[in-house]
Short mmCIF file of all heavy atoms in Angstrom, two decimals:
data_model
loop_
_atom_site.label_atom_id
_atom_site.label_comp_id
_atom_site.label_asym_id
_atom_site.label_seq_id
_atom_site.Cartn_x
_atom_site.Cartn_y
_atom_site.Cartn_z
N THR K 1 -112.12 -91.34 -56.54
CA THR K 1 -111.02 -91.45 -57.50
C THR K 1 -110.55 -90.08 -57.94
O THR K 1 -109.35 -89.81 -57.99
CB THR K 1 -111.46 -92.27 -58.74
OG1 THR K 1 -111.86 -93.58 -58.31
CG2 THR K 1 -110.33 -92.38 -59.75
N VAL K 2 -111.49 -89.21 -58.25
CA VAL K 2 -111.16 -87.85 -58.70
C VAL K 2 -110.38 -87.11 -57.62
O VAL K 2 -109.34 -86.49 -57.89
CB VAL K 2 -112.44 -87.09 -59.07
CG1 VAL K 2 -112.13 -85.63 -59.38
CG2 VAL K 2 -113.12 -87.75 -60.27
N GLU K 3 -110.87 -87.19 -56.39
CA GLU K 3 -110.20 -86.48 -55.29
C GLU K 3 -108.82 -87.08 -55.00
O GLU K 3 -107.89 -86.35 -54.64
CB GLU K 3 -111.07 -86.51 -54.04
CG GLU K 3 -112.39 -85.77 -54.17
CD GLU K 3 -112.17 -84.31 -54.55
OE1 GLU K 3 -111.25 -83.67 -54.00
OE2 GLU K 3 -112.92 -83.81 -55.42
N LYS K 4 -108.70 -88.39 -55.14
CA LYS K 4 -107.41 -89.05 -54.92
C LYS K 4 -106.35 -88.54 -55.89
O LYS K 4 -105.22 -88.23 -55.50
CB LYS K 4 -107.57 -90.57 -55.08
CG LYS K 4 -106.32 -91.38 -54.79
CD LYS K 4 -105.99 -91.38 -53.32
CE LYS K 4 -104.80 -92.25 -53.00
NZ LYS K 4 -104.45 -92.21 -51.56
N ILE K 5 -106.70 -88.43 -57.15
CA ILE K 5 -105.74 -87.95 -58.15
C ILE K 5 -105.37 -86.49 -57.88
O ILE K 5 -104.21 -86.09 -58.04
CB ILE K 5 -106.30 -88.10 -59.57
CG1 ILE K 5 -106.64 -89.56 -59.87
CG2 ILE K 5 -105.31 -87.57 -60.59
CD1 ILE K 5 -105.47 -90.52 -59.80
N LYS K 6 -106.32 -85.69 -57.44
CA LYS K 6 -106.04 -84.28 -57.15
C LYS K 6 -104.99 -84.13 -56.05
O LYS K 6 -104.27 -83.13 -56.01
CB LYS K 6 -107.32 -83.56 -56.72
CG LYS K 6 -108.31 -83.31 -57.85
CD LYS K 6 -109.55 -82.61 -57.31
CE LYS K 6 -110.57 -82.33 -58.38
NZ LYS K 6 -111.80 -81.68 -57.83
N GLU K 7 -104.91 -85.11 -55.14
CA GLU K 7 -103.99 -85.02 -54.00
C GLU K 7 -102.56 -85.47 -54.33
O GLU K 7 -101.67 -85.33 -53.48
CB GLU K 7 -104.51 -85.91 -52.86
CG GLU K 7 -105.80 -85.45 -52.23
CD GLU K 7 -106.26 -86.40 -51.15
OE1 GLU K 7 -105.74 -87.54 -51.09
OE2 GLU K 7 -107.15 -86.02 -50.36
N LEU K 8 -102.33 -86.01 -55.51
CA LEU K 8 -101.07 -86.70 -55.76
C LEU K 8 -99.84 -85.80 -55.67
O LEU K 8 -98.74 -86.28 -55.38
CB LEU K 8 -101.10 -87.38 -57.13
CG LEU K 8 -102.00 -88.61 -57.22
CD1 LEU K 8 -101.97 -89.18 -58.62
CD2 LEU K 8 -101.59 -89.67 -56.20
N ARG K 9 -100.00 -84.53 -55.92
CA ARG K 9 -98.83 -83.65 -55.85
C ARG K 9 -98.42 -83.33 -54.41
O ARG K 9 -97.34 -82.81 -54.18
CB ARG K 9 -99.10 -82.36 -56.62
CG ARG K 9 -99.05 -82.55 -58.14
CD ARG K 9 -99.15 -81.21 -58.88
NE ARG K 9 -98.90 -81.37 -60.30
CZ ARG K 9 -99.82 -81.69 -61.19
NH1 ARG K 9 -101.06 -81.91 -60.79
NH2 ARG K 9 -99.52 -81.82 -62.47
N ILE K 10 -99.29 -83.65 -53.45
CA ILE K 10 -98.94 -83.36 -52.06
C ILE K 10 -98.90 -84.61 -51.18
O ILE K 10 -98.30 -84.59 -50.11
CB ILE K 10 -99.92 -82.34 -51.44
CG1 ILE K 10 -101.37 -82.82 -51.55
CG2 ILE K 10 -99.77 -80.98 -52.11
CD1 ILE K 10 -102.37 -81.93 -50.83
N ILE K 11 -99.54 -85.70 -51.63
CA ILE K 11 -99.55 -86.94 -50.84
C ILE K 11 -99.06 -88.09 -51.71
O ILE K 11 -99.67 -88.42 -52.73
CB ILE K 11 -100.97 -87.25 -50.33
CG1 ILE K 11 -101.47 -86.11 -49.42
CG2 ILE K 11 -100.98 -88.59 -49.56
CD1 ILE K 11 -102.88 -86.31 -48.93
N SER K 12 -97.96 -88.71 -51.31
CA SER K 12 -97.40 -89.82 -52.06
C SER K 12 -98.28 -91.06 -51.92
O SER K 12 -98.84 -91.32 -50.85
CB SER K 12 -95.98 -90.14 -51.58
OG SER K 12 -95.44 -91.23 -52.28
N ALA K 13 -98.41 -91.83 -53.00
CA ALA K 13 -99.18 -93.08 -52.98
C ALA K 13 -98.48 -94.08 -53.90
O ALA K 13 -98.24 -93.78 -55.07
CB ALA K 13 -100.62 -92.84 -53.43
N ASN K 14 -98.17 -95.24 -53.37
CA ASN K 14 -97.28 -96.18 -54.05
C ASN K 14 -97.73 -96.53 -55.47
O ASN K 14 -96.96 -96.44 -56.42
CB ASN K 14 -97.17 -97.45 -53.21
CG ASN K 14 -96.17 -98.44 -53.80
OD1 ASN K 14 -95.02 -98.11 -54.07
ND2 ASN K 14 -96.62 -99.67 -53.99
N PHE K 15 -98.99 -96.94 -55.62
CA PHE K 15 -99.48 -97.34 -56.94
C PHE K 15 -99.34 -96.20 -57.95
O PHE K 15 -98.82 -96.36 -59.04
CB PHE K 15 -100.94 -97.78 -56.85
CG PHE K 15 -101.60 -97.98 -58.18
CD1 PHE K 15 -101.45 -99.17 -58.88
CD2 PHE K 15 -102.38 -96.97 -58.75
CE1 PHE K 15 -102.05 -99.35 -60.13
CE2 PHE K 15 -102.99 -97.14 -59.98
CZ PHE K 15 -102.82 -98.33 -60.67
N TYR K 16 -99.81 -95.03 -57.57
CA TYR K 16 -99.83 -93.89 -58.48
C TYR K 16 -98.41 -93.40 -58.77
O TYR K 16 -98.11 -92.99 -59.90
CB TYR K 16 -100.68 -92.77 -57.89
CG TYR K 16 -102.10 -93.20 -57.60
CD1 TYR K 16 -102.45 -93.68 -56.34
CD2 TYR K 16 -103.07 -93.17 -58.59
CE1 TYR K 16 -103.75 -94.10 -56.07
CE2 TYR K 16 -104.37 -93.58 -58.34
CZ TYR K 16 -104.70 -94.06 -57.08
OH TYR K 16 -105.99 -94.48 -56.82
N ASP K 17 -97.53 -93.46 -57.78
CA ASP K 17 -96.13 -93.07 -57.99
C ASP K 17 -95.48 -93.97 -59.04
O ASP K 17 -94.73 -93.51 -59.91
CB ASP K 17 -95.34 -93.14 -56.69
CG ASP K 17 -95.74 -92.07 -55.69
OD1 ASP K 17 -96.46 -91.13 -56.09
OD2 ASP K 17 -95.35 -92.18 -54.51
N LYS K 18 -95.75 -95.28 -58.95
CA LYS K 18 -95.13 -96.23 -59.89
C LYS K 18 -95.72 -96.10 -61.28
O LYS K 18 -95.00 -96.18 -62.28
CB LYS K 18 -95.26 -97.65 -59.36
CG LYS K 18 -94.36 -97.92 -58.16
CD LYS K 18 -94.44 -99.37 -57.71
CE LYS K 18 -93.47 -99.63 -56.57
NZ LYS K 18 -93.55 -101.04 -56.09
N VAL K 19 -97.02 -95.90 -61.37
CA VAL K 19 -97.64 -95.67 -62.68
C VAL K 19 -97.07 -94.41 -63.31
O VAL K 19 -96.74 -94.38 -64.50
CB VAL K 19 -99.17 -95.59 -62.57
CG1 VAL K 19 -99.79 -95.09 -63.88
CG2 VAL K 19 -99.76 -96.94 -62.19
N ASP K 20 -96.96 -93.35 -62.50
CA ASP K 20 -96.38 -92.10 -62.97
C ASP K 20 -94.96 -92.33 -63.49
O ASP K 20 -94.58 -91.82 -64.55
CB ASP K 20 -96.36 -91.07 -61.85
CG ASP K 20 -95.69 -89.78 -62.24
OD1 ASP K 20 -96.34 -88.96 -62.90
OD2 ASP K 20 -94.51 -89.59 -61.91
N ALA K 21 -94.17 -93.11 -62.75
CA ALA K 21 -92.78 -93.36 -63.15
C ALA K 21 -92.71 -94.14 -64.46
O ALA K 21 -91.87 -93.87 -65.32
CB ALA K 21 -92.05 -94.14 -62.05
N VAL K 22 -93.60 -95.13 -64.63
CA VAL K 22 -93.61 -95.91 -65.87
C VAL K 22 -94.02 -95.05 -67.07
O VAL K 22 -93.45 -95.15 -68.16
CB VAL K 22 -94.56 -97.12 -65.73
CG1 VAL K 22 -94.80 -97.79 -67.09
CG2 VAL K 22 -93.98 -98.13 -64.75
N LEU K 23 -94.99 -94.17 -66.87
CA LEU K 23 -95.51 -93.37 -67.98
C LEU K 23 -94.70 -92.10 -68.24
O LEU K 23 -94.53 -91.68 -69.38
CB LEU K 23 -96.96 -92.97 -67.69
CG LEU K 23 -98.00 -94.08 -67.68
CD1 LEU K 23 -99.35 -93.50 -67.30
CD2 LEU K 23 -98.09 -94.76 -69.03
N ASN K 24 -94.23 -91.49 -67.17
CA ASN K 24 -93.70 -90.13 -67.26
C ASN K 24 -92.20 -90.04 -67.07
O ASN K 24 -91.54 -89.20 -67.66
CB ASN K 24 -94.40 -89.26 -66.20
CG ASN K 24 -94.23 -87.78 -66.42
OD1 ASN K 24 -94.27 -87.32 -67.56
ND2 ASN K 24 -94.04 -87.04 -65.35
N GLN K 25 -91.68 -90.90 -66.19
CA GLN K 25 -90.26 -90.95 -65.86
C GLN K 25 -89.77 -89.68 -65.17
O GLN K 25 -88.58 -89.53 -64.89
CB GLN K 25 -89.40 -91.24 -67.09
CG GLN K 25 -89.81 -92.51 -67.83
CD GLN K 25 -88.93 -92.80 -69.01
OE1 GLN K 25 -87.74 -92.55 -68.97
NE2 GLN K 25 -89.51 -93.34 -70.07
N GLY K 26 -90.67 -88.75 -64.89
CA GLY K 26 -90.27 -87.52 -64.23
C GLY K 26 -90.63 -87.46 -62.77
O GLY K 26 -90.04 -86.71 -62.01
N GLY K 27 -91.65 -88.24 -62.37
CA GLY K 27 -92.03 -88.30 -60.97
C GLY K 27 -92.76 -87.08 -60.45
O GLY K 27 -92.89 -86.90 -59.24
N LYS K 28 -93.28 -86.22 -61.32
CA LYS K 28 -93.93 -84.99 -60.87
C LYS K 28 -95.44 -85.03 -61.03
O LYS K 28 -96.11 -84.06 -60.77
CB LYS K 28 -93.37 -83.79 -61.64
CG LYS K 28 -91.88 -83.55 -61.39
CD LYS K 28 -91.38 -82.33 -62.16
CE LYS K 28 -89.90 -82.08 -61.88
NZ LYS K 28 -89.37 -80.92 -62.64
N HIS K 29 -95.95 -86.18 -61.47
CA HIS K 29 -97.38 -86.40 -61.61
C HIS K 29 -98.04 -85.50 -62.65
O HIS K 29 -99.27 -85.39 -62.68
CB HIS K 29 -98.08 -86.24 -60.26
CG HIS K 29 -97.62 -87.22 -59.23
ND1 HIS K 29 -97.80 -88.58 -59.37
CD2 HIS K 29 -96.94 -87.07 -58.06
CE1 HIS K 29 -97.28 -89.22 -58.33
NE2 HIS K 29 -96.73 -88.32 -57.53
N ASP K 30 -97.27 -84.89 -63.52
CA ASP K 30 -97.87 -84.08 -64.59
C ASP K 30 -98.67 -84.96 -65.56
O ASP K 30 -99.59 -84.47 -66.22
CB ASP K 30 -96.77 -83.34 -65.37
CG ASP K 30 -96.05 -82.31 -64.52
OD1 ASP K 30 -96.67 -81.83 -63.55
OD2 ASP K 30 -94.88 -82.02 -64.80
N ILE K 31 -98.30 -86.22 -65.66
CA ILE K 31 -98.95 -87.12 -66.61
C ILE K 31 -100.45 -87.24 -66.34
O ILE K 31 -101.24 -87.44 -67.25
CB ILE K 31 -98.28 -88.52 -66.57
CG1 ILE K 31 -98.76 -89.38 -67.75
CG2 ILE K 31 -98.58 -89.23 -65.25
CD1 ILE K 31 -98.29 -88.90 -69.08
N TRP K 32 -100.86 -87.05 -65.09
CA TRP K 32 -102.27 -87.25 -64.75
C TRP K 32 -103.17 -86.17 -65.36
O TRP K 32 -104.38 -86.38 -65.50
CB TRP K 32 -102.45 -87.31 -63.24
CG TRP K 32 -101.70 -88.48 -62.67
CD1 TRP K 32 -100.43 -88.46 -62.16
CD2 TRP K 32 -102.13 -89.84 -62.61
NE1 TRP K 32 -100.05 -89.73 -61.77
CE2 TRP K 32 -101.07 -90.59 -62.04
CE3 TRP K 32 -103.30 -90.50 -62.97
CZ2 TRP K 32 -101.16 -91.97 -61.82
CZ3 TRP K 32 -103.40 -91.86 -62.76
CH2 TRP K 32 -102.34 -92.58 -62.20
N ASP K 33 -102.59 -85.04 -65.73
CA ASP K 33 -103.38 -84.01 -66.43
C ASP K 33 -103.74 -84.45 -67.85
O ASP K 33 -104.66 -83.90 -68.45
CB ASP K 33 -102.60 -82.70 -66.51
CG ASP K 33 -102.51 -81.98 -65.18
OD1 ASP K 33 -103.36 -82.25 -64.30
OD2 ASP K 33 -101.59 -81.16 -65.01
N ASN K 34 -103.01 -85.43 -68.38
CA ASN K 34 -103.15 -85.80 -69.78
C ASN K 34 -103.90 -87.11 -70.01
O ASN K 34 -104.13 -87.49 -71.16
CB ASN K 34 -101.77 -85.93 -70.43
CG ASN K 34 -100.97 -84.65 -70.35
OD1 ASN K 34 -101.54 -83.56 -70.33
ND2 ASN K 34 -99.65 -84.76 -70.30
N ILE K 35 -104.26 -87.82 -68.92
CA ILE K 35 -104.86 -89.14 -69.08
C ILE K 35 -106.17 -89.24 -68.30
O ILE K 35 -106.52 -88.37 -67.51
CB ILE K 35 -103.90 -90.24 -68.60
CG1 ILE K 35 -103.62 -90.11 -67.10
CG2 ILE K 35 -102.60 -90.21 -69.40
CD1 ILE K 35 -102.74 -91.20 -66.54
N ALA K 36 -106.88 -90.33 -68.56
CA ALA K 36 -108.04 -90.70 -67.74
C ALA K 36 -107.67 -91.91 -66.90
O ALA K 36 -106.79 -92.70 -67.28
CB ALA K 36 -109.25 -91.01 -68.63
N PHE K 37 -108.33 -92.05 -65.76
CA PHE K 37 -108.00 -93.16 -64.86
C PHE K 37 -109.23 -93.63 -64.10
O PHE K 37 -110.08 -92.83 -63.71
CB PHE K 37 -106.93 -92.74 -63.84
CG PHE K 37 -106.73 -93.77 -62.75
CD1 PHE K 37 -105.99 -94.91 -62.99
CD2 PHE K 37 -107.31 -93.60 -61.50
CE1 PHE K 37 -105.85 -95.88 -62.00
CE2 PHE K 37 -107.17 -94.55 -60.50
CZ PHE K 37 -106.42 -95.70 -60.76
N ALA K 38 -109.28 -94.94 -63.87
CA ALA K 38 -110.32 -95.52 -63.01
C ALA K 38 -109.85 -96.89 -62.54
O ALA K 38 -109.08 -97.58 -63.22
CB ALA K 38 -111.64 -95.66 -63.76
N ASN K 39 -110.30 -97.29 -61.36
CA ASN K 39 -110.12 -98.66 -60.90
C ASN K 39 -111.31 -99.50 -61.32
O ASN K 39 -112.46 -99.05 -61.22
CB ASN K 39 -109.97 -98.71 -59.38
CG ASN K 39 -108.56 -98.43 -58.92
OD1 ASN K 39 -107.60 -98.73 -59.62
ND2 ASN K 39 -108.42 -97.86 -57.74
N ALA K 40 -111.05 -100.71 -61.78
CA ALA K 40 -112.12 -101.54 -62.33
C ALA K 40 -113.05 -102.10 -61.26
O ALA K 40 -114.27 -102.12 -61.42
CB ALA K 40 -111.53 -102.69 -63.15
N ILE K 41 -112.49 -102.57 -60.14
CA ILE K 41 -113.31 -103.16 -59.09
C ILE K 41 -114.07 -102.07 -58.35
O ILE K 41 -113.48 -101.10 -57.88
CB ILE K 41 -112.44 -103.98 -58.12
CG1 ILE K 41 -111.86 -105.21 -58.84
CG2 ILE K 41 -113.23 -104.42 -56.90
CD1 ILE K 41 -110.89 -106.03 -58.02
N GLN K 42 -115.38 -102.25 -58.27
CA GLN K 42 -116.23 -101.21 -57.68
C GLN K 42 -116.56 -101.47 -56.21
O GLN K 42 -117.10 -100.60 -55.53
CB GLN K 42 -117.53 -101.11 -58.48
CG GLN K 42 -117.32 -100.77 -59.95
CD GLN K 42 -116.61 -99.44 -60.14
OE1 GLN K 42 -117.16 -98.39 -59.80
NE2 GLN K 42 -115.41 -99.47 -60.69
N THR K 43 -116.21 -102.65 -55.71
CA THR K 43 -116.41 -102.97 -54.30
C THR K 43 -115.41 -102.17 -53.45
O THR K 43 -114.27 -101.97 -53.85
CB THR K 43 -116.18 -104.47 -54.06
OG1 THR K 43 -116.98 -105.21 -54.98
CG2 THR K 43 -116.54 -104.87 -52.65
N THR K 44 -115.85 -101.74 -52.28
CA THR K 44 -114.94 -101.04 -51.35
C THR K 44 -114.20 -102.07 -50.52
O THR K 44 -114.79 -102.73 -49.67
CB THR K 44 -115.72 -100.09 -50.43
OG1 THR K 44 -116.73 -100.83 -49.73
CG2 THR K 44 -116.38 -98.98 -51.23
N PHE K 45 -112.91 -102.24 -50.77
CA PHE K 45 -112.09 -103.20 -50.04
C PHE K 45 -111.60 -102.57 -48.73
O PHE K 45 -111.41 -101.36 -48.64
CB PHE K 45 -110.89 -103.63 -50.88
CG PHE K 45 -111.22 -104.64 -51.95
CD1 PHE K 45 -112.52 -105.03 -52.19
CD2 PHE K 45 -110.22 -105.20 -52.72
CE1 PHE K 45 -112.84 -105.96 -53.17
CE2 PHE K 45 -110.51 -106.13 -53.70
CZ PHE K 45 -111.82 -106.51 -53.94
#
């Protein structure tokens, strides 16, 4: 999860792009510096 968020400025990802747009409206992923994030399901799908 940590490494995935670090890549967001260079690799587009649909879920994270949309969350960023809802929270930030700027699309530059700066919002991730200000929040915490985790996926609830721990199983590897």
Side-chain angles (χ1 to χ4, degrees):
T1 300
V2 173
E3 295 303 318
K4 183 71 176 178
I5 302 299
K6 287 179 180 178
E7 293 178 345
L8 288 179
R9 286 187 171 86
I10 56 174
I11 299 177
S12 179
N14 185 53
F15 170 83
Y16 302 93
D17 290 347
K18 288 184 176 179
V19 169
D20 176 80
V22 169
L23 292 177
N24 196 39
Q25 304 182 36
K28 296 181 179 179
H29 298 296
D30 295 334
I31 191 68
W32 298 94
D33 287 338
N34 301 331
I35 64 177
F37 170 78
N39 277 330
I41 293 175
Q42 301 300 295
T43 308
T44 56
F45 283 5

